[in-house]
Amino acid sequence: MRKRVVALLTDFGVEEHYNGVMKGVILKINSDASIVDLVDSAKSFSIMDAAFQLWASYKYFPKETIFLIVVDPGVGTSRQAVAVKTKNYFFVGPDNGVLYPAVSEDEIEKVIKITSEKIILKNRNGTFDGRDVFAPAAAYLSLKKPIEDLGELTHLKEKYEFAKPEIKANIIKATVLHVDKFGDVVLNIKKEHLGGIKKFCIEGKTFEIKQTFSECSDLCMVYGSSGFYELVLNQGSAAEMLGLKTGDMIKIEVI
């Protein structure tokens, strides 16, 4: 019988013990668990960044993978801790919008609010639900136990969606969805927004749209692996060049 993979996405970083402790909780419950680090250093507190990285990644995993997401600036508040069953996967994390782009795309079948005292660790103190709530819930699902055992039926309250670009004539106001470690800037622009154009302007300077990073001798735009266009600088940081970060807006003139 094939194991269910647990894929972990957090903003804890590798220099802290938090990710390791969560893995320890999972392995204590299921010593045969298969745990994959999807992202261990998502941008701190950024629901947009984590939602994008989850959405861009989940469909490449085996069916029934359990995605354990802890980017949770609202920990300790009334936000729900949830487990979601979709058509092909399971998702465990806070109901703060971070799960929504992925789970809605894969078709939500059931949402459970994690409340079972048999699942939640006894020493829960409200500051580390990744350890006390989400990790044991994911471990329980990795044992192929029913999702209903985690708590009570509910629905997602926070339905975050990627913003659409504002387009007027030849001007596009785009939002930065993600900046990766190379400084590539993922915009909320898809192929249907650009048509067949080959050039664009930012602050009066003209650049080109290319097929690959290696074709870029200056700033350029490429159609990225996630299905969105990216501003890139070959072996340099487009984000630093333009002073952009996740959530910023940028005005682009298409020509």
Side-chain angles (χ1 to χ4, degrees):
M1 184 181 294
R2 189 173 67 185
K3 296 179 182 177
R4 284 179 179 168
V5 174
V6 179
L8 184 60
L9 189 162
T10 80
D11 60 355
F12 292 145
V14 296
E15 63 277 357
E16 301 292 346
H17 67 282
Y18 306 125
N19 285 325
V21 168
M22 289 173 62
K23 292 176 186 178
V25 170
I26 294 168
L27 292 169
K28 195 171 183 179
I29 295 169
N30 180 5
S31 60
D32 292 326
S34 177
I35 306 172
V36 174
D37 289 310
L38 175 54
V39 181
D40 52 28
S41 297
K43 291 177 178 59
S44 299
F45 318 119
S46 178
I47 291 168
M48 176 188 291
D49 179 76
F52 170 79
Q53 295 204 70
L54 176 62
W55 171 84
S57 306
Y58 82 89
K59 58 184 75 70
Y60 298 100
F61 279 75
K63 288 186 177 181
E64 296 195 343
T65 292
I66 302 153
F67 293 94
L68 173 52
I69 315 304
V70 189
V71 176
D72 192 16
V75 64
T77 69
S78 61
R79 68 94 183 92
Q80 298 185 112
V82 294
V84 183
K85 183 181 185 301
T86 64
K87 183 178 179 181
N88 295 298
Y89 300 101
F90 296 90
F91 298 80
V92 177
D95 181 10
N96 60 11
V98 69
L99 306 178
Y100 192 74
V103 300
S104 59
E105 182 178 77
D106 199 54
E107 300 179 23
I108 298 170
E109 293 187 351
K110 191 167 295 184
V111 182
I112 300 295
K113 183 177 181 179
I114 305 169
T115 56
S116 173
E117 293 182 0
K118 294 180 179 179
I119 304 299
I120 297 171
L121 297 191
K122 304 302 182 187
N123 64 340
R124 182 186 186 185
N125 68 359
T127 66
F128 194 3
D129 279 357
R131 178 195 65 193
D132 300 339
V133 182
F134 300 129
Y140 193 84
L141 291 175
S142 76
L143 292 168
K144 299 200 172 184
K145 301 293 187 179
I147 191 172
E148 293 85 355
D149 290 355
L150 300 179
E152 58 197 57
L153 280 170
T154 186
H155 63 276
L156 292 178
K157 296 180 180 179
E158 299 298 328
K159 299 181 178 181
Y160 169 75
E161 295 178 319
F162 302 131
K164 291 180 171 56
E166 299 176 18
I167 303 174
K168 292 183 179 180
N170 64 329
I171 301 296
I172 299 176
K173 289 184 179 180
T175 300
V176 177
L177 298 178
H178 175 64
V179 176
D180 69 17
K181 72 176 293 291
F182 302 104
D184 301 331
V185 179
V186 182
L187 303 174
N188 62 337
I189 298 176
K190 295 186 174 183
K191 282 188 174 180
E192 60 262 31
H193 300 132
L194 293 185
I197 71 157
K198 300 296 183 183
K199 295 182 179 182
F200 65 98
C201 289
I202 296 176
E203 296 181 349
K205 188 173 180 180
T206 300
F207 304 99
E208 295 184 332
I209 297 176
K210 299 289 188 180
Q211 294 294 315
T212 66
F213 300 115
S214 61
E215 296 176 54
C216 300
S217 57
D218 195 351
L219 183 77
C220 73
M221 194 185 296
V222 299
Y223 184 66
S225 60
S226 64
F228 289 100
Y229 277 97
E230 303 178 15
L231 295 171
V232 304
L233 186 63
N234 188 16
Q235 298 186 45
S237 173
E240 287 185 7
M241 177 181 177
L242 298 169
L244 293 173
K245 63 184 184 301
T246 301
D248 284 350
M249 293 191 71
I250 183 170
K251 185 168 71 173
I252 295 171
E253 181 183 1
V254 296
I255 57 176

